[in-house]
């Protein structure tokens, strides 16, 4: 049996009346051009709808809780900022390539009123004598240090991973006669990472620097003059010491100059705000930093610091003199002059 075109149209019209078609399948002009199925209506089961609603609700709760925590932390930090001490000190420890010895030690003293920082470098060759208790713990971690007297950069090494940091803090407290409020121990890799992440540091290299030590995996090759240093080159500057006339004291002086440049360029509020991921990675992702500073302390001091100004940083070196002890060149700390230095800093 054959049908004409008119017959086909009639059959089509008889079987599909627009009035019988649900509205969601008809376009806004009421033309039945094609089915426009709503996949959510057709395919999504009631269970999936409930599941999605539950997830969205949980996300909202988590976001609200996080926001409350942030607001609460900021509020507590603000209150704490009013009761911070007039002076706060912090010990900066930078470990070497192997992470066993403290290649750099600096004690900073922050003045809440003037926003100034006094930075006191402790030469790595400073000759110290540890207590009987400390020596016993050293033998537990690293048998037979040989003597209770040693360079301060070896204290962390003989204390090992378990005691090293605490021992350095205790020894610095014994040297300066003052309790250390906070400490920050930073890996050399963190230092290089920050320098590279902020695009390098402008610094005047005071002299030609050439040195190679395969044991430390350290190669230094820099020319005197204004330089734009990347992370590796910055490491070379702060670790170079063999070419200075006054050995470790020359190194300390250059480190102090570099710290000022580093603070003004890499730790300025503008730089931190423009690349916050860099500093979050250093603190939380790559485990480069060990510190006893908690988040409330950070927020409280953030309210009073108001941006670090390198012009307000005064640099000192722990008073002492070069000597020869136990078959090695050391730095003997002058305890009387050291006490006078810190009395002066704290009385300003």
């Amino acid at each position: 049996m054959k049908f004409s075109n008119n017959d086909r149209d009639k059959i089509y019209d008889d079987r599909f009346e627009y009035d019988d078609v649900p509205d969601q399948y008809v376009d806004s002009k009421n033309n039945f051009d094609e089915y426009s199925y709503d996949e959510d209506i057709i395919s999504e089961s009631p269970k999936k709808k409930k599941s999605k609603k539950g997830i969205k609700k949980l996300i909202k709760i988590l976001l609200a809780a996080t926001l409350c925590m942030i607001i609460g932390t900021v509020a507590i930090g603000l209150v704490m900022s009013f009761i911070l001490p007039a002076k706060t000190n912090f010990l900066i420890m930078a470990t070497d390539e192997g992470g066993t010895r403290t290649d750099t030690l600096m004690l900073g003293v922050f003045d809440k009123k003037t926003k100034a920082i006094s930075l006191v470098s402790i030469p790595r060759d400073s000759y110290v004598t540890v207590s009987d208790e400390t020596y016993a713990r050293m033998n537990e971690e690293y048998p037979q240090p040989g003597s209770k007297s040693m360079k301060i950069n070896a204290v962390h090494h003989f204390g090992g991973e378990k005691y090293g940091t605490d021992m350095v803090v205790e020894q610095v407290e014994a040297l300066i006669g003052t309790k250390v409020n906070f400490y920050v121990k930073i890996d050399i890799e963190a230092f290089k990472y920050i320098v590279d992440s902020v695009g390098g540091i402008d610094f005047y290299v005071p002299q030609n620097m050439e040195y190679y030590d395969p044991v430390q995996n350290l190669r230094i090759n820099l020319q005197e003059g204004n330089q734009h240093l990347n992370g590796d080159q910055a490491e070379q500057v702060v670790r170079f010491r063999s070419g200075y006339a006054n050995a470790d004291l020359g190194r300390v002086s250059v480190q102090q100059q570099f710290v000022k440049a580093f603070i003004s360029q890499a730790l300025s509020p503008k730089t931190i705000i423009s690349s916050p991921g860099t500093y979050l990675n250093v603190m939380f992702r790559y485990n480069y930093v060990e510190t006893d500073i908690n988040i409330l302390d950070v927020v409280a001091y953030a309210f009073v610091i108001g941006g670090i100004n390198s012009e307000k940083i005064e640099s000192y070196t722990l008073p002492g003199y070069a000597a020869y002890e136990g078959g090695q060149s050391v730095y003997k700390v002058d305890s009387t002059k050291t006490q006078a230095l810190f009395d002066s800093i704290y009385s300003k």
Side-chain angles (χ1 to χ4, degrees), residues 2-19:
K2 295 183 179 180
F3 296 96
S4 66
N5 288 335
N6 290 336
D7 292 332
R8 289 191 182 94
D9 293 340
K10 185 175 181 181
I11 292 173
Y12 180 89
D13 291 339
D14 289 342
R15 293 184 179 180
F16 297 93
E17 293 294 337
Y18 290 124
D19 292 339

Side-chain angles (χ1 to χ4, degrees), residues 325-342:
E325 192 81 39
Q328 58 184 338
S329 297
V330 299
Y331 185 77
K332 287 289 192 72
V333 177
D334 187 318
S335 57
T336 302
K337 291 183 178 179
T338 295
Q339 188 62 55
L341 171 62
F342 281 95

Side-chain angles (χ1 to χ4, degrees), residues 290-321:
E290 178 187 330
T291 182
D292 59 350
I293 302 173
N294 62 48
I295 187 63
L296 291 176
D297 292 323
V298 172
V299 174
Y301 280 96
F303 277 110
V304 298
I305 289 174
I308 303 173
N309 185 350
S310 62
E311 298 301 319
K312 289 188 176 183
I313 299 177
E314 295 181 339
S315 300
Y316 306 89
T317 299
L318 207 64
Y321 55 93

Side-chain angles (χ1 to χ4, degrees), residues 243-311:
Y244 298 123
N246 52 352
D248 200 44
L249 292 182
R251 177 175 182 263
V252 165
S253 176
V254 173
Q255 283 183 343
Q256 291 173 342
Q257 295 169 35
F258 186 86
V259 166
K260 288 186 178 182
F262 181 81
I263 288 175
S264 64
Q265 297 175 55
L267 297 183
S268 68
K270 180 180 178 181
T271 304
I272 293 174
I273 291 172
S274 64
S275 54
T278 295
Y279 304 92
L280 291 174
N281 282 338
V282 168
M283 291 295 294
F284 303 111
R285 182 177 179 184
Y286 298 127
N287 297 320
Y288 285 145
V289 174
E290 178 187 330
T291 182
D292 59 350
I293 302 173
N294 62 48
I295 187 63
L296 291 176
D297 292 323
V298 172
V299 174
Y301 280 96
F303 277 110
V304 298
I305 289 174
I308 303 173
N309 185 350
S310 62
E311 298 301 319

Side-chain angles (χ1 to χ4, degrees), residues 19 34 70 86 104 146 156 170 207 232 274 327:
D19 292 339
E34 60 181 4
I70 293 173
T104 300
H156 185 276
E170 291 167 6
Q207 67 178 63
D232 286 331
S274 64

